[in-house]
């Protein structure tokens, strides 16, 4: 920690935000796949899916899972950008300067947070156009945002590990595919009760289900119960492990 | 921070290296390198590929930890006082590490901010002018030619006037004109009192630029000294009369026009 940690992080975050401003397609492509899935599930499969909830439209049931998919596809760009910086010697340039060493990684993480929040807003706007409605109050919305921010941070630090350890561009961005797939084996699209034994066990005990259920309960003004705490525990747990791995990978890489 | 850059601890040498060793897995890259670089000089580390030049530079720039030996840069030990070393140096790596998405001016402003200097914008404009990049300043660095990119790279290294500059193969991959531009920039640096340690595999580059030359071979310094001292290592040349032919470089530069003091920016897009 040096006295300049914040100034250095701000300078480098400004740099990568410029990258995003100059290639807004990265935010659009992040939002396009989840939106396409949302359209597909609401207007094609949705009619045949029985969520057991009659009061709300299927898009409202679906949205929490779609938001997580948005984040999972968005963080691939963090891995990609970090890999490019390492590959092109930019990181070495920064590392040979008297800056706070953690600033390089934090700049990418904060940029990921900003980019993902913009993508999430786009997805929510599309969902609103498709009939998503929520009577949730300010407190519940803040809680939803809080969970999404924690989830983004947790996955972004995983992306940092991937970006630092990858040996090729493809490897750097491909790691997010399984993360995008995870919501399919969860309560994101259909209730877990309809799944056969082992699949159902996996679905009910993996992080996405508790996070999806917590967000869904908050948005539909249902009691959140234990889900919020389990979701929180998953997010903080993944965040702590990923952060530790990222710092270790960084030390290994830049001596 | 600034105090570190302006008040070097009194030592005889800008860079002093003793018995530096480094291995990667079971490959011994450095086998005991000794080096004394006097302040304000241009010092060339000459060697073939794989001789250990880049490894030496990376250790001196605190990017790599040595296995053994000591290295003191501007009075600071590279392993125990890495932050002070970083405040005293700048590194220009083998490939121009510029941000291609930012403009030339933004690249320079960023470095000035990271060096915590006042008026980053003014410093950037100053550097653009000094390196004949003013016209290209607001273009993305990704559109620069190889020579322009290299000039921007070196300009970024010089922001904040660090007393010691490392240039790792500064002219590799450049055309002859761009090479002369880089040479001019290096000479100007030394004229301002900056210590320059550069690596090269081009003998003529060392001969043209360096006050002192060290030949690195298989992880050891074989010889070091001024060009005159090195030439004395071989028996005196016998005098022969040979018709002087123009070199290919002379021909090339005559035909395409040698760069004058202010290099002409070529807007051609080049990938390295």
């Amino acid at each position: 920690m040096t006295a300049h940690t914040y100034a250095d992080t701000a300078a480098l975050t400004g740099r990568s935000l410029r990258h995003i401003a100059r290639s807004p397609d990265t935010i659009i492509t992040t939002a396009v796949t989840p939106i396409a899935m949302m359209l597909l599930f609401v207007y094609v499969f949705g009619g045949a899916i029985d969520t057991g909830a009659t009061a709300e439209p299927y898009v409202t049931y679906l949205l929490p899972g779609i938001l997580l998919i948005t984040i999972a596809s968005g963080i691939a760009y963090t891995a990609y950008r970090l890999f490019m910086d390492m590959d092109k010697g930019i990181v070495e340039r920064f590392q040979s300067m008297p800056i706070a060493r953690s600033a390089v990684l934090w700049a990418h993480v904060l940029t990921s947070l900003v980019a993902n929040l913009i993508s999430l807003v786009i997805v929510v706007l599309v969902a609103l156009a498709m009939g998503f409605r929520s009577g949730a109050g300010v407190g519940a919305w803040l809680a939803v945002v809080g969970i999404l921010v924690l989830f983004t941070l947790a996955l972004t630090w995983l992306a940092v590990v991937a970006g630092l350890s990858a040996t090729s561009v493809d490897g750097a961005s491909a790691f997010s595919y399984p993360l995008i797939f995870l919501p399919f084996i969860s309560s994101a699209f259909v209730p877990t009760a309809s799944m056969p034994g082992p699949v159902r066990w996996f679905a009910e005990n993996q992080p996405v289900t508790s996070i999806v259920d917590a967000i869904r309960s908050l948005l539909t003004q249902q009691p959140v119960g234990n889900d919020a705490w389990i979701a929180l525990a998953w997010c903080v747990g993944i965040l702590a492990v990923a952060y530790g791995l990222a710092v270790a990978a960084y030390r290994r890489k830049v001596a | 921070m600034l105090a570190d850059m302006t008040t070097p601890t009194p030592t005889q040498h800008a860079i002093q290296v003793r018995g530096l060793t480094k291995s990667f897995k079971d490959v011994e890259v450095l086998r005991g390198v000794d080096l004394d670089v006097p302040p304000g000089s241009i010092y060339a580390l000459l060697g073939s590929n794989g001789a250990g030049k880049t490894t030496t530079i990376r250790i001196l720039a605190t990017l790599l930890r040595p296995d053994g030996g000591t290295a003191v840069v501007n009075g600071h030990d590279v392993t125990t006082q890495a932050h002070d070393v970083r405040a005293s140096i700048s590194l220009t790596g083998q490939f121009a590490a510029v941000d291609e998405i930012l403009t030339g001016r933004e690249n320079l402003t960023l470095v000035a901010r990271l060096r915590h200097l006042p008026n980053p914008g003014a410093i950037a404009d100053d550097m653009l002018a000094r390196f004949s990049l003013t016209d290209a300043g607001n273009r993305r660095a990704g559109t620069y030619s190889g020579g322009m990119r290299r000039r921007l790279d070196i300009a970024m290294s010089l922001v904040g006037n660090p007393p010691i500059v490392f240039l790792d193969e500064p002219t590799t991959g450049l055309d002859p004109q761009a090479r002369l531009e880089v040479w001019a920039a290096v000479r100007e640096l030394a004229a301002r009192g900056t210590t320059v340690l550069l690596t090269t595999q081009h003998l003529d580059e060392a001969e043209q630029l360096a006050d002192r030359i060290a030949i690195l071979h298989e992880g050891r310094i074989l010889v070091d000294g001024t060009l005159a001292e090195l030439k004395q290592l071989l028996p005196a040349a016998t005098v022969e009369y040979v018709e002087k032919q123009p070199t290919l470089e002379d021909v090339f530069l005559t035909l395409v026009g040698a760069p004058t003091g202010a290099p002409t920016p070529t807007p051609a897009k080049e990938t390295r």
Side-chain angles (χ1 to χ4, degrees):
Chain A
M1 259 315 179
T2 71
H4 294 293
T5 306
Y6 293 112
D8 294 342
T9 308
L12 290 173
T13 306
R15 163 186 177 255
S16 29
L17 284 176
R18 275 214 173 94
H19 282 209
I20 287 187
R22 281 172 201 176
S23 51
D25 51 307
T26 57
I27 287 182
I28 310 288
T29 48
T30 297
V32 159
T33 314
I35 288 172
M37 275 185 204
M38 191 157 63
L39 291 169
L40 189 68
F41 273 86
V42 169
Y43 295 124
V44 180
F45 303 136
I49 294 174
D50 179 16
T51 62
T54 43
E56 71 209 42
Y58 182 58
V59 64
T60 302
Y61 182 90
L62 188 64
L63 186 62
I66 294 292
L67 294 179
L68 299 195
I69 291 178
T70 309
I71 294 169
S73 57
I75 49 125
Y77 283 108
T78 302
Y80 168 78
R81 290 198 179 95
L82 186 56
F83 177 82
M84 294 307 276
D85 276 2
M86 299 285 295
D87 198 43
K88 297 202 162 194
I90 306 252
V91 170
E92 288 210 336
R93 153 153 266 149
F94 295 148
Q95 293 300 349
S96 68
M97 289 169 52
I99 66 168
R101 305 211 112 190
S102 59
V104 175
L105 296 187
W106 272 107
H108 279 286
V109 170
L110 294 178
T111 304
S112 162
L113 203 54
V114 172
N116 276 299
L117 286 176
I118 298 173
S119 298
L120 288 171
V121 167
I122 296 174
V123 172
V124 170
L125 289 177
V126 173
L128 280 170
M130 291 169 65
F132 159 71
R133 293 294 177 267
S134 169
V138 176
W141 271 107
L142 283 180
V144 169
V145 171
I147 293 173
L148 291 175
V149 164
L150 263 183
F151 188 70
T152 307
L153 284 176
L155 291 201
T156 301
W157 280 105
L158 274 184
V160 168
V161 179
L164 287 171
S165 338
T167 49
S168 71
V169 186
D170 297 333
S173 29
F175 88 101
S176 69
Y177 296 156
L179 296 178
I180 295 171
F181 198 68
L182 221 43
F184 287 96
I185 316 170
S186 79
S187 63
F189 295 95
V190 294
T192 52
S194 62
M195 300 173 188
V199 180
R200 178 175 174 181
W201 181 87
F202 176 80
E204 287 178 350
N205 291 288
Q206 63 124 323
V208 171
T209 295
S210 60
I211 298 170
V212 160
D213 288 350
I215 296 175
R216 189 181 286 143
S217 303
L218 285 164
L219 290 179
T220 54
Q221 295 151 284
Q222 303 292 317
V224 179
N226 274 337
D227 283 332
W229 299 113
I230 298 171
L232 213 59
W234 272 116
C235 287
V236 172
I238 297 171
L239 179 58
V241 171
Y243 180 79
L245 288 175
V247 169
Y250 192 49
R251 292 237 172 90
R252 207 169 46 239
K253 209 78 177 189
V254 298
Chain B
M1 194 66 49
L2 284 171
D4 285 333
M5 296 176 75
T6 47
T7 54
T9 326
T11 43
Q12 205 74 27
H13 300 286
I15 302 168
Q16 191 167 51
V17 177
R18 287 290 173 271
L20 204 62
T21 56
K22 179 72 188 177
S23 304
F24 294 106
K25 302 239 168 77
D26 47 356
V27 184
E28 273 187 281
V29 180
L30 301 183
R31 308 161 181 236
V33 169
D34 297 320
L35 209 59
D36 290 307
V37 180
S41 63
I42 303 180
Y43 199 102
L45 206 50
L46 187 64
S48 347
N49 285 331
K53 303 188 297 286
T54 299
T55 305
T56 307
I57 293 272
R58 284 171 53 88
I59 290 173
L60 293 178
T62 75
L63 293 175
L64 208 59
R65 278 181 164 273
D67 294 340
T70 58
V72 177
V73 174
N74 205 31
H76 309 293
D77 187 277
V78 292
T79 46
T80 57
Q81 298 165 292
H83 197 80
D84 295 322
V85 171
R86 285 176 207 134
S88 320
I89 62 147
S90 82
L91 167 69
T92 305
Q94 256 175 52
F95 305 106
V98 303
D99 188 322
E100 299 185 357
I101 295 165
L102 299 188
T103 65
R105 190 171 188 279
E106 286 168 342
N107 267 294
L108 289 162
T109 313
L110 175 66
V111 174
R113 282 184 70 190
L114 290 175
R115 287 208 179 261
H116 317 114
L117 302 170
N119 294 325
I123 292 170
D125 290 334
D126 204 43
M127 279 296 179
L128 288 171
R130 193 167 140 197
F131 284 85
S132 317
L133 289 168
T134 304
D135 293 338
N138 288 322
R139 269 192 9 233
R140 288 193 196 184
T143 66
Y144 287 12
S145 71
M148 290 165 76
R149 202 182 280 231
R150 198 32 132 177
R151 292 210 304 276
L152 175 61
D153 192 26
I154 293 178
M156 284 165 74
S157 294
L158 302 185
V159 167
N161 296 317
I164 297 171
V165 171
F166 300 122
L167 300 171
D168 194 6
E169 302 201 0
T171 60
T172 298
L174 294 187
D175 60 41
Q177 285 140 305
R179 208 167 121 180
L180 291 182
E181 288 165 21
V182 169
W183 285 1
V186 172
R187 286 199 189 95
E188 195 201 318
L189 262 185
R192 292 176 178 225
T194 305
T195 308
V196 180
L197 174 62
L198 63 89
T199 71
T200 183
Q201 43 183 325
H202 303 297
L203 308 180
D204 57 329
E205 184 159 285
E207 203 165 341
Q208 285 283 332
L209 274 182
D211 302 317
R212 296 183 73 84
I213 299 165
I215 298 179
L216 185 62
H217 184 67
E218 292 179 345
R220 281 194 193 91
I221 302 283
L222 292 184
V223 286
D224 76 291
T226 62
L227 184 62
E229 284 167 1
L230 294 189
K231 282 185 171 169
Q232 278 173 9
L233 292 173
L234 294 183
T238 49
V239 180
E240 279 180 61
Y241 290 97
V242 183
E243 199 177 330
K244 189 179 183 302
Q245 299 279 349
T247 64
L248 183 56
E249 187 176 353
D250 292 334
V251 175
F252 180 85
L253 290 175
T254 309
L255 288 176
V256 300
T260 46
T264 45
T266 39
K269 192 170 176 172
E270 247 176 60
T271 47
R272 47 156 221 268

